[in-house]
Amino acid sequence: MVDELFIKRRSYRKYLPKEVEEDKLNDILQAGMLAPIASGKYFNVVLKVFRGEELKTLQETLVKETGNDNTYKAPLVIGVYHKGENVELANLDAGAIIENMLLEARELGLGSVFIYSICRLTRSNEALKKYNELEGGYILRSVVSFGYVEDFNDVREIEHKFSVIK
Ligand SMILES: Cc1cc2nc3c(=O)[nH]c(=O)nc-3n(C[C@H](O)[C@H](O)[C@H](O)COP(=O)(O)O)c2cc1C
């Protein structure tokens, strides 16, 4: 049931050292592409997959520069890059894309985390700057880590509650 999937989607920050299969990665990418995008400008977005040696280099650079691997040692990371001039819309597009991918990942038995902190670092840190922009003027808007998790109960205590005005 859809409701159950929403409840099951949490941020998982401890991953097993196990690769995510290609078909699952493709399903996650497809879920991202089915997100609503402002004015239907899907051509403004690039989903950049980081894994293997390329991801290892990113993670090592993060540790070297900040003392922290903000990807939580994930075996798979996806960067959402956007070339729209309206930053507000670019960020909203990224949020919609990422939420679809988070939910799809959980449906596939994977954990994930929506990670903004890397994005900020790629703007301010010289060694990480190369991750801020892709050829063609696509700018990093946010990042998601994915992977298998040992314990789906290992999540931060948090109340999912907004104020609501009816
Ligand atoms: C826009 C946005 C940025 C986030 N950035 C980070 C981040 O940089 N690092 C992190 O560990 N979690 C990050 N999160 C995850 C939130 O901390 C998490 O979703 C929230 O505390 C609710 O917990 P839950 O995902 O387990 O439901 C981010 C979430 C959102 C929506």
Side-chain angles (χ1 to χ4, degrees):
M1 225 170 79
V2 170
D3 286 9
E4 283 170 15
L5 181 59
F6 287 136
I7 292 165
K8 283 195 309 188
R9 192 240 29 99
R10 298 297 312 277
S11 296
Y12 299 99
R13 295 178 174 89
K14 281 184 197 152
Y15 295 111
L16 295 169
K18 177 176 168 103
E19 292 302 319
V20 173
E21 298 85 345
E22 197 69 21
D23 58 333
K24 291 196 175 185
L25 166 60
N26 289 334
D27 284 351
I28 291 167
L29 294 169
Q30 186 62 36
M33 287 180 212
L34 290 171
I37 295 297
S39 303
K41 292 182 177 172
Y42 289 82
F43 52 81
N44 271 344
V45 181
V46 172
L47 300 179
K48 165 78 181 116
V49 176
F50 293 92
R51 53 185 169 170
E53 280 306 306
E54 196 179 15
L55 177 56
K56 207 169 144 223
T57 303
L58 167 61
Q59 290 166 331
E60 284 171 359
T61 312
L62 282 166
V63 172
K64 186 160 171 260
E65 297 297 316
T66 72
N68 235 334
D69 174 3
N70 304 46
T71 73
Y72 302 100
K73 301 194 180 93
L76 173 66
V77 165
I78 296 177
V80 179
Y81 288 78
H82 198 294
K83 72 169 178 184
E85 279 173 16
N86 184 329
V87 173
E88 209 169 38
L89 287 181
N91 288 332
L92 290 167
D93 285 348
I97 294 162
I98 290 174
E99 179 65 359
N100 272 19
M101 294 198 293
L102 302 178
L103 288 167
E104 177 64 18
R106 190 62 188 86
E107 180 69 9
L108 295 169
L110 295 162
S112 63
V113 190
F114 192 138
I115 305 166
Y116 174 72
S117 58
I118 294 176
C119 198
R120 195 177 50 236
L121 289 167
T122 65
R123 288 190 196 131
S124 56
N125 182 292
E126 266 317 307
L128 289 162
K129 259 195 181 134
K130 63 178 176 186
Y131 297 104
N132 183 53
E133 186 171 346
L134 293 181
E135 207 182 314
Y138 296 87
I139 306 295
L140 184 62
R141 289 290 155 210
S142 206
V143 171
V144 198
S145 65
F146 300 94
Y148 285 94
V149 303
E150 198 170 312
D151 181 5
F152 280 114
N153 293 312
D154 188 4
V155 289
R156 291 181 184 166
E157 192 79 21
I158 203 152
E159 195 182 15
H160 292 77
K161 201 169 180 184
F162 298 134
S163 296
V164 174
I165 299 169
K166 287 187 183 170

